[in-house]
Amino acid sequence: MTTIFTLWWLIPIVLCLVFYKFVLRVFFGMVIVPEDKIGLVTKKFVLFGADKSLPDGRIIATKGEAGFQAQTLAPGLYWNKWIWQYTIDMTPFTIIPEGKIGLVLSKDGKEIPTGRILARKVESDNFQDATAFLNNGGQKGRQTAFITSGSYRINTYLFEIVIIDQVKIYENMIGIVTALDGEPIPIGQIAGKYVEKHNNFQDFDSFLENGGNRGLQPQVMLAGSYYINTWAIQIEQNPMTDVPIGHVGVVISYIGEDGQDVTGETFKHGNIVSKGQRGVWMEPFGPGKYALNKYTTKLELVPTTNLVLNWANARSESHDLDKNLSTITVRSKDGFPFNLDVSQIIHVPANEAPKVIARFGSMTNLVSQVLEPTIGNYFRNSAQDSDVISFLSTRKERQESAKNHIKTVLDEYNVNAVDTLIGDITPPESLMKTLTDRKIAEEEQKTYQTQKLAQEQRQGVEKETAIADMQKEIVRASQSVEIAQRTADATVKKAEGDATSLKLNVNAEAEATKMRAQAEAEATKARAGAQAEATRLNASAEAEKISKTGLAEAEKIMAIGKSTAEAYQLQVSAMGGDNFTKYKITEEIGKGNIKVIPDVLISGANGSEGGISGLLGMKLMEMMDAKNDNPESKKK
């Protein structure tokens, strides 16, 4: 027990070792700030030498006043920070991660000027030097400046840090910018003026120093990552403007200076200006993607390929410009209403597209204000000039007339009319029934005519068949006539041959007699000259007599045969071969008492006697030849 009391003095030493920091803090005012923290100092009171209170409206002391101190304690060892006079709060560094920024809100400083919502940037080592911030005129409230990724020794008594993400604008998108602070937009404009040197709005103080206006900005931001103070700038992402192939984009600008019309005095339907001025730009955009601010400009797509518009209830093209067009109902001259579908093909030249937009504002207005009334009224007027049937029958001519009329009209609006086509024509059902009945009757009549022609052809075929069947008899009769003709010719030839043969026989007999007489005369010449001479003379006279007599007889027979043949030829020529044959047969029958009617009579069809006549003629001729060849007949 005595030992314990003798070592009491060790207790203070142990306590000092354990609570050395507290002891040093109390007796020596020592403060140790760790490496990853800063010390925020609060001064409780001022003993002497300085103003004891802060100026009105201030909460941060910069000159040793009591209260929150602007000066912070960096990592390290500090003395004379007596516990009864100072409160030291250890706070971590302010860390801004990658891909984020820190927006700064100052709790002390000068008042922001009226009309402004953001405090201007002052030099303060990225807000790490609170004293410099306040001494350099830093303003309380939201700051235009911000801090990027990193670690900062921020006096959180003065500054509040709000960590936000970087602004990312994605591919094929644009950022439409609205500034929340700056000069007012000029009167007559809907967006601020174009300002440079602000690094895509990342340096908002430069934007303000160069006279940037609050509100909608004409510039847009393209794809990428940006350090944007969202207290100063708001960004709306929108797709880029696409002008597809086969189109041009006519730009209508709502901002800029009033430009001078570049179309001249011939165009009186709106101002067309140069690029960058307010109005319709003279140069359209070709196919591609463009970063256009949809709030300051408008892009009207104009097809440059052939465009088909249908006035038909059941058909519409993909461009939808004809979605409000319908089948045209017209009334004919005879009072019948009927429907017709029409297709109109147009083409807008690329260099004429700005004029079309300046005049009508859009392609939809062109269709509704020009094409729809023009085509509808034309066909209504055209239908009243004729009845339904005439309209149907003259469809081609009316289509050509419509094409020429509409082309003339559209030329005045800088639009080319390529073609006008009439589609389905739907007459009234009652009229169609009448036409159908009429057509059916006409077709039936054609059918009857065809059937009649077929019957006539069938009759002709049967007639030709019958004639072909009779051809055998006709050929047989023709051959009989030919045989009779040849028989007659043979008779003539035979007579001529007989005459010639007789003449030759007579001549030969005379010559033989002459030769015999000469031989006999020469034989007897020696015996008796006178007698021989007399005999010779007698023989010669006799021979001459015989010769002349034979010759005369031969010439007589020949003349008779020739005259008979010539007579036959003349009779055949005069009477015809068939008639002459019949005549000679009859003559011979009369001369020879020949039996004419046979025991059996064969008659041709339909009373024809051609075949039997030929046979009878041949038979009679054979009988006559046989009679002539008979010697007994010749004697008689």
Side-chain angles (χ1 to χ4, degrees), residues 51-85:
D51 292 337
K52 295 181 180 181
S53 61
L54 291 171
D56 292 339
R58 298 292 295 274
I59 63 171
I60 303 297
T62 59
K63 298 178 180 180
E65 301 94 340
F68 299 126
Q69 300 300 300
Q71 184 67 41
T72 61
L73 301 180
L77 177 61
Y78 297 89
W79 302 94
N80 299 324
K81 299 299 180 184
W82 316 107
I83 194 172
W84 60 82
Q85 188 178 13

Side-chain angles (χ1 to χ4, degrees), residues 411-478:
D411 284 343
E412 299 179 2
Y413 297 101
N414 307 102
V415 177
N416 296 336
V418 179
D419 204 355
T420 302
L421 306 173
I422 299 177
D424 293 336
I425 300 177
T426 309
E429 184 176 353
S430 58
L431 183 60
M432 283 300 297
K433 185 177 185 307
T434 302
L435 294 177
T436 303
D437 294 342
R438 181 187 303 174
K439 187 64 177 178
I440 291 173
E442 292 177 355
E443 294 300 325
E444 288 178 347
Q445 184 176 5
K446 292 181 181 179
T447 302
Y448 298 151
Q449 292 294 332
T450 303
Q451 292 176 348
K452 178 180 178 182
L453 180 61
Q455 292 296 333
E456 292 177 351
Q457 291 178 347
R458 187 176 67 81
Q459 293 175 1
V461 170
E462 292 180 353
K463 180 178 180 181
E464 294 298 326
T465 302
I467 292 175
D469 294 340
M470 296 175 61
Q471 190 66 27
K472 183 177 181 180
E473 297 296 332
I474 295 174
V475 170
R476 183 178 297 171
S478 175

Side-chain angles (χ1 to χ4, degrees), residues 90-314:
M90 300 298 173
T91 184
F93 288 172
T94 299
I95 299 175
I96 308 299
E98 284 292 332
K100 297 182 182 295
I101 63 172
L103 303 182
V104 180
L105 174 65
S106 176
K107 301 174 184 179
D108 199 358
K110 292 183 179 181
E111 296 292 335
I112 296 176
T114 303
R116 295 296 179 88
I117 64 172
L118 296 177
R120 301 292 293 274
K121 178 181 179 181
V122 296
E123 182 58 38
S124 61
D125 188 20
N126 284 323
F127 302 101
Q128 297 180 102
D129 189 346
T131 301
F133 175 82
L134 294 173
N135 291 338
N136 289 331
Q139 300 168 343
K140 66 175 63 177
R142 294 179 175 181
Q143 305 296 305
T144 58
F146 52 85
I147 54 178
T148 58
S149 60
S151 297
Y152 300 89
R153 298 193 301 268
I154 301 296
N155 187 340
T156 56
Y157 288 162
L158 176 61
F159 300 113
E160 180 182 343
I161 307 301
V162 178
I163 299 176
I164 65 170
D165 294 327
Q166 285 181 328
V167 172
K168 292 183 178 180
I169 299 177
Y170 299 98
E171 290 295 328
N172 294 322
M173 303 290 284
I174 61 170
I176 297 177
V177 179
T178 301
L180 303 178
D181 200 358
E183 299 294 332
I185 293 176
I187 297 175
Q189 298 291 337
I190 65 170
K193 64 181 181 180
Y194 188 87
V195 178
E196 297 180 348
K197 299 180 180 179
H198 51 70
N199 191 20
N200 281 319
F201 301 97
Q202 297 179 103
D203 187 353
F204 195 69
D205 285 278
S206 178
F207 172 80
L208 295 176
E209 289 171 0
N210 287 283
N213 302 113
R214 70 180 64 190
L216 182 64
Q217 300 300 307
Q219 300 104 309
V220 295
M221 299 173 63
L222 300 178
S225 297
Y226 301 91
Y227 292 123
I228 298 296
N229 186 338
T230 56
W231 290 341
I233 297 293
Q234 289 184 346
I235 296 178
E236 175 186 344
Q237 294 197 41
N238 283 286
M240 297 184 71
T241 302
D242 183 22
V243 178
I245 296 175
H247 294 72
V248 295
V250 178
V251 180
I252 304 171
S253 177
Y254 302 135
I255 61 174
E257 300 296 329
D258 292 335
Q260 184 178 2
D261 184 26
V262 296
T263 57
E265 298 181 356
T266 58
F267 188 77
K268 303 295 184 181
H269 306 286
N271 289 337
I272 299 180
V273 298
S274 300
K275 185 177 181 180
Q277 297 177 332
R278 182 163 54 187
V280 179
W281 290 359
M282 183 63 182
E283 297 179 5
F285 288 171
K289 290 188 176 182
Y290 300 91
L292 292 182
N293 189 332
K294 69 176 183 178
Y295 298 113
T296 61
T297 56
K298 181 181 179 182
L299 190 76
E300 283 292 339
L301 292 178
V302 178
T304 55
T305 56
N306 286 349
L307 189 65
V308 180
L309 302 171
N310 297 306
W311 277 256
N313 293 332

Side-chain angles (χ1 to χ4, degrees), residues 568-634:
Y568 284 172
Q569 289 289 345
L570 291 176
Q571 288 176 358
V572 169
S573 299
M575 298 174 64
D578 191 38
N579 294 331
F580 175 75
T581 300
K582 294 178 180 181
Y583 169 76
K584 293 301 293 178
I585 290 173
T586 304
E587 184 179 12
E588 291 299 327
I589 290 172
K591 291 180 179 180
N593 295 322
I594 299 172
K595 185 179 180 180
V596 175
I597 299 174
D599 296 333
V600 179
L601 178 62
I602 300 174
S603 178
N606 297 325
S608 173
E609 41 186 43
I612 193 61
S613 297
L615 294 174
L616 292 175
M618 292 178 62
K619 187 65 178 176
L620 292 175
M621 293 300 298
E622 291 176 357
M623 295 173 64
M624 291 174 62
D625 291 339
K627 182 180 180 180
N628 291 331
D629 293 337
N630 190 354
E632 294 296 330
S633 300
K634 290 180 178 180

Side-chain angles (χ1 to χ4, degrees), residues 323-339:
K323 64 180 179 180
N324 295 324
L325 302 178
S326 59
T327 299
I328 301 173
T329 301
V330 299
R331 187 175 296 276
S332 64
K333 183 178 181 181
D334 49 2
F336 285 103
F338 61 95
N339 299 327

Side-chain angles (χ1 to χ4, degrees), residues 349-405:
N351 59 340
E352 299 291 340
K355 295 181 180 180
V356 173
I357 298 303
R359 184 193 292 259
F360 299 106
S362 66
M363 289 296 294
T364 302
N365 292 341
L366 169 66
V367 174
S368 62
Q369 297 176 15
V370 176
L371 289 169
E372 183 176 8
T374 299
I375 293 179
N377 289 337
Y378 173 82
F379 282 103
R380 291 185 184 95
N381 295 337
S382 176
Q384 289 181 350
D385 294 337
S386 67
D387 54 40
V388 179
I389 306 304
S390 299
F391 194 93
L392 290 171
S393 60
T394 59
R395 169 177 174 168
K396 180 178 180 181
E397 292 77 8
R398 293 182 182 278
Q399 180 172 285
E400 187 67 24
S401 176
K403 174 182 176 181
N404 296 332
H405 172 76

Side-chain angles (χ1 to χ4, degrees), residues 476-489:
R476 183 178 297 171
S478 175
Q479 290 177 347
S480 299
V481 173
E482 183 70 18
I483 291 171
Q485 180 69 35
R486 291 183 179 274
T487 300
D489 292 341

